[in-house]
């Protein structure tokens, strides 16, 4: 059993595992060399290229898990909603979601027909990888925020307006997006992904009551619908300190924690048996190594050898980051991140 999978299950193992969100692409020069021009969605449609990009950070950093090179908008793009990813900006939508008629634009996803390239990339990867592969999907709220706003947003004004003015339409939208995430995740697991992560990156924009009323039921539906496949389920969002217990309650085995909440405090907010993933502040990676080193040690100390810890950044790798620093982070976590033996 790999350290990564053991940590996800809070089971005994020796060494704290580490991987980085958004480790594929971003700051790697070898990524820029083979990525080619055009939309990332085209690169994702090329399984040989996507598999190679997935492998690059595993080779370079020696991380304990790979994450498939894809994007959270791939399924809605594939069913023809009219979504692209603009370089340097993120997802953009031709005609944003605004009314009940737009539900027709969100037909069910048929992964073998709509996203065969993701399945093929994963099949190639599981043949080549020596560490587990993480599949993923965007959570209904975060994907909805792009479909409704039409582009990345800071306020989520249109999203919250729809949620509060037309709850029936909101829940119908959440349900369609939950079904799309379920179909995508099941196909990824069936192709060989050994863990999955549900990215609800922007759920932290909501207060607890709105999260639990308008969002959690759809994410819980996703987790419940893949439970039978038996792979660890990671649930991640940014600025979710007030939502960590709800993130666990939605049905996750591992809860992602950003850098704003120390791991020992986060541990108090989730039930025993739920593992944590995180939470080095990504921005600290721009500081001199001595500062990075101190922060890595601080994260490890806050975890205090608990078996349920997957080391990661509190959010993703940024394009300007020096890969050499991330290499040193992995090396330090592997050298000093030790799991406490079980007390009897
Ligand atoms: O983690 C990985 O390395 C695997 C691949 C991955 C990508 N996107 C590739 C990508 C994953 C897991 C994602 C998830 C994703 N996509 C999220 C959730 C994760 C998070 O950070 O919270 C979100 C919100 C998106 C939507 C999205 N796609 C954004 C905001 C951007 C950034 C725009 C930019 O240019 O910086 C993208 C584009 C994107 N997705 C890139 C990559 C490697 C970079 C652009 C490119 O290479 O064309």
């Amino acid at each position: 059993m790999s350290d990564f999978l053991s940590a996800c299950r809070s089971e005994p193992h020796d060494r704290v595992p580490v991987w980085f969100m958004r480790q594929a692409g971003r700051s790697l020069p070898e990524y820029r060399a083979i990525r080619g021009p055009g939309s990332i969605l085209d690169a994702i449609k090329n399984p040989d290229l996507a598999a190679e990009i997935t492998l690059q950070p595993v080779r370079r950093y020696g991380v304990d898990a790979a994450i498939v090179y894809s994007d959270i908008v791939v399924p809605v793009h594939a069913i023809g909603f009219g979504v692209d990813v603009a370089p340097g900006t993120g997802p953009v939508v031709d005609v944003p979601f605004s009314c009940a008629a737009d539900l027709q634009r969100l037909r069910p996803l048929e992964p073998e027909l709509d996203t065969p390239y993701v399945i093929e990339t994963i099949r190639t990867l599981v043949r080549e990888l020596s560490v587990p592969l993480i599949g993923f999907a965007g959570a209904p709220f975060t994907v909805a925020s792009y479909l409704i706003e039409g582009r990345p947003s800071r306020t989520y004004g249109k999203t919250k307006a729809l949620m509060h003015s037309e709850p029936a339409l909101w829940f119908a939208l959440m349900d369609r997006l939950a079904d799309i995430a379920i179909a995508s995740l099941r196909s990824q697991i069936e192709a060989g992904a050994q863990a999955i992560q549900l990215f609800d990156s922007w759920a932290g924009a909501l207060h607890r009551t709105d999260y639990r009323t308008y969002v959690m039921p759809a994410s819980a539906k996703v987790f419940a619908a893949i439970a039978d496949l038996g792979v660890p389920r990671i649930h991640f969002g940014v600025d979710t300190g007030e939502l960590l217990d709800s993130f666990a309650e939605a049905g996750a085995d591992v809860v992602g924690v950003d850098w704003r909440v120390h791991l020992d405090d986060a541990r108090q907010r989730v039930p025993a048996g739920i593992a944590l993933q995180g939470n080095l502040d990504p921005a600290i990676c721009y500081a001199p190594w001595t500062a990075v080193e101190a922060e890595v040690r601080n994260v490890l100390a806050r975890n205090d050898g608990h078996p349920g810890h997957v080391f990661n950044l509190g959010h993703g790798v940024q394009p300007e980051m020096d890969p050499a620093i991330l290499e040193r982070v992995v090396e330090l976590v592997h050298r000093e991140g030790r799991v406490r033996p079980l007390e009897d």
Side-chain angles (χ1 to χ4, degrees):
M1 173 77 75
S2 81
D3 289 339
F4 168 73
L5 293 173
S6 298
C8 288
R9 300 192 165 106
S10 304
E11 286 169 358
H13 55 288
D14 294 329
R15 208 166 72 157
V16 175
V18 49
W19 70 280
F20 301 123
M21 289 181 277
R22 296 198 182 175
Q23 66 190 13
R26 313 289 161 171
S27 67
L28 290 180
E30 58 267 39
Y31 170 66
R32 291 197 204 101
I34 63 165
R35 155 82 163 77
S39 168
I40 186 176
L41 297 175
D42 293 327
I44 289 166
K45 286 175 190 164
N46 177 341
D48 289 336
L49 182 62
E52 173 58 21
I53 293 171
T54 305
L55 291 166
Q56 285 178 341
V58 180
R59 287 191 208 110
R60 161 83 76 141
Y61 301 130
V63 281
D64 295 277
I67 182 158
V68 62
Y69 182 75
S70 182
D71 195 85
I72 60 166
V73 298
V74 162
V76 282
H77 165 76
I79 60 171
F81 193 85
V83 189
D84 202 352
V85 178
T89 302
V92 286
V93 175
D94 299 337
V95 182
F97 184 101
S98 66
C99 62
D102 290 326
L103 287 172
Q104 305 313 314
R105 299 163 60 201
L106 289 169
R107 66 162 171 84
L109 179 77
E110 296 183 67
E112 295 77 14
L113 300 175
D114 296 320
T115 51
Y117 40 88
V118 176
I119 295 172
E120 196 182 328
T121 301
I122 291 176
R123 289 211 181 103
T124 304
L125 282 166
V126 291
R127 285 196 297 269
E128 297 191 20
L129 275 167
S130 52
V131 293
L133 178 67
I134 304 168
F136 70 90
F141 172 79
T142 289
V143 175
S145 78
Y146 286 116
L147 301 188
I148 297 167
E149 305 287 337
R151 51 182 300 109
S153 167
R154 281 181 191 283
T155 56
Y156 304 96
K158 295 190 176 97
T159 309
K160 291 181 184 181
L162 184 80
M163 178 188 281
H164 286 276
S165 62
E166 296 186 70
L169 177 57
W170 172 262
F171 285 119
L173 171 59
M174 288 290 98
D175 203 53
R176 295 237 171 170
L177 293 176
D179 288 343
I180 289 169
I182 291 163
S184 176
L185 290 171
R186 290 193 71 90
S187 74
Q188 294 178 60
I189 298 165
E190 279 156 9
Q194 286 169 278
I196 65 89
Q197 179 154 327
L198 191 68
F199 282 98
D200 211 351
S201 302
W202 315 133
L206 300 171
H207 62 56
R208 189 177 169 76
T209 310
D210 275 358
Y211 176 76
R212 295 182 67 89
T213 306
Y214 294 106
V215 174
M216 196 170 108
S219 295
K221 180 181 179 183
V222 176
F223 284 120
I226 56 171
D228 61 306
L229 297 176
V231 304
R233 297 158 297 172
I234 309 169
H235 195 183
F236 170 78
V238 182
D239 218 344
T240 52
E242 296 298 325
L243 305 176
L244 292 174
D245 59 327
S246 304
F247 263 48
E249 194 182 327
D253 305 293
V254 185
V255 171
V257 185
D258 83 1
W259 61 94
R260 294 174 181 87
V261 182
H262 291 312
L263 287 183
D264 46 339
D265 294 327
R267 187 77 67 194
Q268 305 297 318
R269 300 182 193 182
V270 300
I274 300 295
L276 299 177
Q277 176 171 280
N279 69 346
L280 182 70
D281 182 351
I284 204 77
C285 296
Y286 296 113
W289 171 248
T290 47
V292 183
E293 188 175 26
E295 279 299 307
V296 170
R297 290 208 168 96
N298 187 24
V299 171
L300 292 171
R302 296 268 179 189
N303 182 62
D304 192 25
H306 192 293
H309 180 214
V310 176
F311 195 101
N312 206 312
L313 301 176
H315 196 185
V317 174
Q318 295 159 2
E320 305 79 21
M321 275 178 190
D322 178 2
I325 294 286
L326 295 172
E327 253 176 88
R328 292 182 79 174
V329 169
V330 172
E331 193 258 335
L332 181 61
V333 173
H334 280 162
R335 185 153 37 87
E336 299 195 3
R338 284 284 163 275
V339 177
R340 240 185 296 126
L342 276 184
E343 288 146 24
D344 41 22

